[in-house]
């Protein structure tokens, strides 16, 4: 199995196959004792809908491959994939189900309120992603809203059209309109740094603050696409720069976006993430979470 196929293996079924059974299970979630450490009180939760896990004891989350790294105590991804496949040969892969777009889901969001990021739970989520809390509070907002009569809250990252990207441990969506975000804009900036999502943007700022990453130039504009599919919305703005430093994901979509920008000819485009081929994105670079490109 390759990485994409392995990620479709149901985590709950995998844990049961290796002898770890839930202490509590509902239609949406299952609780376990963490399978890779001593855990007297079950603090390991699997979100069945998203097929991800969260360890409340370590404030750490991930997919089945991240789990395999911890269980088998190796960062050799090829070995992890093989061990997972061998441990659960009879488990069918999860069917891919249709999910409405974030814009479609936005129609059910009501009573939207924004404020300063103060929630302990949301700050803890940022910490689990390695984000500097001061940076998170400065760049993001706390959004409260209702959906189908229930109240929720999430980290909100504003875009140039008044909408927000929404993120918490269990949800990834947006408040329309869906648009790009622009930060640190200087009237005379000739260069910009381009990010796919705001977690990569926050990770970049954190790495710079920690002295682990040098800005590619002096006072660049910082642009977040909020989805690589938004690239077309940013093209007119990007054409105004002399240099674009791309911090896009190390995947086919990210590389195709870089190639498209290079076709503009009037702009010099650098694919910064080529220097970090074993990291999927900037947040993985911040967390030192290596994987095969």
């Amino acid at each position: 199995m390759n990485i994409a196929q392995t990620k479709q293996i149901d985590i709950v079924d995998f844990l049961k196959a290796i002898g770890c059974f839930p202490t509590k299970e509902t239609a949406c979630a299952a609780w376990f004792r963490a399978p890779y450490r001593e855990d007297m009180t079950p603090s390991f939760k699997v979100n069945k809908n998203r097929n991800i896990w969260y360890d409340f004891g370590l404030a750490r989350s991930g997919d089945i491959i991240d789990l395999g790294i911890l269980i088998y105590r190796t960062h050799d991804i090829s070995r992890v994939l093989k061990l997972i496949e061998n441990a659960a040969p009879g488990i069918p892969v999860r069917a891919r189900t249709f999910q409405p777009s974030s814009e479609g889901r936005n129609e059910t969001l009501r009573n939207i309120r924004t404020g300063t990021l103060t929630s302990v739970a949301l700050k803890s989520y940022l910490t689990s992603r390695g984000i500097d809390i001061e940076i998170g509070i400065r760049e993001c907002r706390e959004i409260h809203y209702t959906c189908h009569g229930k109240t929720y809250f999430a980290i909100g990252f504003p875009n140039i059209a008044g909408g927000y990207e929404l993120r918490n441990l269990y949800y990834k969506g947006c408040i329309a309109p869906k648009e790009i975000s622009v930060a640190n804009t200087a009237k005379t900036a000739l260069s910009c740094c381009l990010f796919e999502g705001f977690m990569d943007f926050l990770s970049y700022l954190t790495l710079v603050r920690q002295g682990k990453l040098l800005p590619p130039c002096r006072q660049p504009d910082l642009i977040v696409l909020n989805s690589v599919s938004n690239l077309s919305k940013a093209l007119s703005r990007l054409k105004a720069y002399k240099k674009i430093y791309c911090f896009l994901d190390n995947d086919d979509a990210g590389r195709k976006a870089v190639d498209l920008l290079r076709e503009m000819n009037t702009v010099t485009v650098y694919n910064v993430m080529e220097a970090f081929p074993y990291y999927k994105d900037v947040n993985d670079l911040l967390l030192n979470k290596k994987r095969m490109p």
Side-chain angles (χ1 to χ4, degrees):
M1 286 187 178
N2 58 30
I3 289 176
Q5 292 169 329
T6 302
K7 284 185 176 181
Q8 293 304 306
I9 294 175
D10 187 277
I11 293 177
V12 172
D13 288 343
F14 166 69
L15 288 171
K16 290 178 180 178
I18 63 174
C20 299
F21 296 92
T23 60
K24 178 182 177 182
E25 187 170 4
T26 67
C28 299
W31 289 86
F32 296 81
R33 288 184 171 84
Y36 44 79
R37 64 179 179 84
E38 187 174 345
D39 189 10
M40 301 302 294
T41 303
S43 58
F44 184 93
K45 182 179 182 180
V46 178
N47 182 320
K48 291 184 176 181
N49 293 329
R50 297 184 60 196
N51 203 34
I52 60 172
W53 56 268
Y54 186 80
D55 187 339
F56 286 86
L58 298 180
R60 186 169 181 174
S61 64
D63 55 31
I64 191 170
I65 296 174
D66 301 312
L67 178 59
I69 289 171
L70 293 173
I71 290 175
Y72 299 118
R73 302 180 185 278
T74 176
H75 287 274
D76 184 335
I77 300 300
S78 297
R79 177 170 169 74
V80 169
L81 297 180
K82 191 65 177 177
L83 288 170
I84 291 174
E85 182 179 5
N86 291 342
I91 296 178
V93 298
R94 289 160 55 94
R96 292 184 178 270
T97 56
F98 171 76
Q99 295 290 340
S101 67
S102 297
E103 291 86 347
R105 289 196 299 270
N106 177 67
E107 295 178 3
T108 63
L109 303 188
R110 300 286 185 270
N111 306 314
I112 298 168
R113 294 179 290 112
T114 69
T116 303
L117 184 57
T118 60
S119 164
V120 174
L122 296 180
K123 289 180 181 178
S124 176
Y125 173 65
L126 285 178
T127 299
S128 74
R129 301 292 297 269
I131 306 300
D132 184 285
I133 292 301
E134 288 186 4
I135 291 173
I137 292 173
R138 184 186 74 210
E139 302 292 341
C140 302
R141 301 286 285 169
E142 184 172 316
I143 312 292
H144 290 251
Y145 57 94
T146 58
C147 182
H148 300 301
K150 295 183 179 180
T151 301
Y152 300 94
F153 60 97
I155 297 165
F157 183 69
N159 64 40
I160 61 173
Y164 287 89
E165 294 298 304
L166 298 181
R167 196 81 80 255
N168 62 31
L169 177 60
Y170 306 107
Y171 178 70
K172 179 178 181 180
C174 79
I175 295 174
K178 182 87 170 178
E179 253 293 357
I180 67 170
S181 301
V182 181
N184 214 39
T185 305
K187 291 182 179 180
T188 59
L190 299 177
S191 303
C192 78
C193 296
L194 184 66
F195 306 91
E196 184 165 331
F198 78 90
M199 280 296 168
D200 290 326
F201 163 70
L202 297 177
S203 298
Y204 166 83
L205 295 179
T206 299
L207 285 164
V208 170
R209 172 172 283 192
Q210 293 175 348
K212 297 178 181 178
L213 187 67
L214 293 176
C217 61
R218 186 173 179 273
Q219 293 185 325
D221 285 353
L222 307 176
I223 297 177
V224 184
L225 293 175
N226 293 319
S227 172
V228 73
S229 62
N230 275 347
L231 182 61
S232 60
K233 297 179 180 180
L235 287 179
S236 60
R237 184 184 295 266
L238 292 172
K239 288 177 182 178
Y241 297 104
K242 297 297 183 184
K243 296 179 181 179
I244 301 174
Y245 298 91
C246 294
F247 290 82
L248 305 177
D249 289 3
N250 267 327
D251 58 15
D252 288 341
R255 287 185 283 269
K256 286 179 181 177
V258 172
D259 290 340
L260 177 62
L261 291 172
R262 284 174 173 162
E263 290 177 4
M264 293 193 298
N265 296 325
T266 58
V267 181
T268 302
V269 179
Y270 302 92
N271 186 357
V272 180
M273 292 304 292
E274 279 185 335
F276 308 100
Y278 294 104
Y279 297 93
K280 178 182 179 295
D281 53 32
V282 188
N283 188 242
D284 277 4
L285 178 60
L286 173 62
L287 295 173
N288 195 27
K289 193 168 148 184
K290 290 185 178 181
R291 62 180 67 192
M292 295 301 290

